[in-house]
Amino acid sequence: IFIMQAVTGILLMFYYVPTADHAFASTQYIIHEVDYGWFLLSYHFWGSTAMVVCVFAHMSQVFLWGAYKKPRELIWLVGLALFALVMGFGFTGYLLPWDQRAFWATTVGTEIAGSIPVIGSLALVFLRVGWDVSGQTLSRFYALHVIVVPLATVAFMGAHFLMIRRQGIA
């Protein structure tokens, strides 16, 4: 699913414009003007849901079988980080259509991050690039969605697979 998301994401990048002035229009262009663009965008959207479901199902299986116990605690922690990254993909990608639903969902999500004790204000300002959701927030989320989170995911997946290879399956 990760590879499918990467391929569809790269194809969408050919048409998507991550600016406040053009993001919504480029999404509409992909849906209505690009040949099979509606399918590509839908495939990417539903693939993100499938990714969350599959990672959650895998983690549930690992938990129920007790495969997180000694000597595989570090594998479990890396898996938790991967789950957080998958959720990060979903959160950062949700703003990219730049419509009302995305705007207000991001407003609520960043407000939740802003309520974290001690570092909440810092998290809020970092995510929004200021105190309000703006075009800069869109640029920040796009960079996180297509560069930072994918690179971190590949690194953590590599570590996860390497540790499983060394420790074996429980």
Short mmCIF file of all heavy atoms in Angstrom, two decimals, residues 9 15 52 59-60 102 119 170:
data_model
loop_
_atom_site.label_atom_id
_atom_site.label_comp_id
_atom_site.label_asym_id
_atom_site.label_seq_id
_atom_site.Cartn_x
_atom_site.Cartn_y
_atom_site.Cartn_z
N GLY A 9 0.87 9.34 -5.47
CA GLY A 9 1.25 10.67 -4.99
C GLY A 9 2.17 11.38 -5.96
O GLY A 9 2.02 12.57 -6.23
N TYR A 15 0.33 17.57 -11.33
CA TYR A 15 -0.76 18.51 -11.58
C TYR A 15 -1.12 19.40 -10.40
O TYR A 15 -1.74 20.44 -10.56
CB TYR A 15 -2.03 17.75 -12.01
CG TYR A 15 -1.84 17.00 -13.30
CD1 TYR A 15 -1.60 15.65 -13.31
CD2 TYR A 15 -1.91 17.66 -14.52
CE1 TYR A 15 -1.42 14.95 -14.50
CE2 TYR A 15 -1.73 16.99 -15.71
CZ TYR A 15 -1.49 15.64 -15.69
OH TYR A 15 -1.30 14.96 -16.87
N VAL A 52 -4.04 3.04 6.88
CA VAL A 52 -4.33 3.15 8.32
C VAL A 52 -4.95 1.86 8.83
O VAL A 52 -4.54 1.33 9.88
CB VAL A 52 -5.25 4.36 8.60
CG1 VAL A 52 -5.74 4.35 10.04
CG2 VAL A 52 -4.54 5.67 8.29
N MET A 59 -0.79 -4.06 13.88
CA MET A 59 -0.40 -3.78 15.26
C MET A 59 -1.30 -4.52 16.25
O MET A 59 -0.82 -4.98 17.30
CB MET A 59 -0.42 -2.28 15.52
CG MET A 59 0.68 -1.56 14.77
SD MET A 59 0.82 0.15 15.21
CE MET A 59 1.48 0.01 16.85
N SER A 60 -2.56 -4.66 15.92
CA SER A 60 -3.48 -5.42 16.78
C SER A 60 -3.05 -6.88 16.85
O SER A 60 -3.04 -7.49 17.93
CB SER A 60 -4.91 -5.33 16.25
OG SER A 60 -5.35 -4.00 16.26
N ALA A 102 -11.26 20.67 4.64
CA ALA A 102 -9.84 20.53 4.95
C ALA A 102 -9.37 21.65 5.87
O ALA A 102 -8.62 21.42 6.83
CB ALA A 102 -9.03 20.52 3.66
N ILE A 119 4.37 22.10 25.54
CA ILE A 119 4.83 22.39 24.18
C ILE A 119 3.68 22.70 23.21
O ILE A 119 3.91 22.85 22.02
CB ILE A 119 5.66 21.22 23.62
CG1 ILE A 119 4.82 19.95 23.51
CG2 ILE A 119 6.92 21.01 24.43
CD1 ILE A 119 5.44 18.88 22.65
N ALA A 170 8.01 -13.52 16.01
CA ALA A 170 7.63 -14.14 17.29
C ALA A 170 6.73 -15.34 17.07
O ALA A 170 5.93 -15.40 16.19
CB ALA A 170 6.92 -13.13 18.18
#
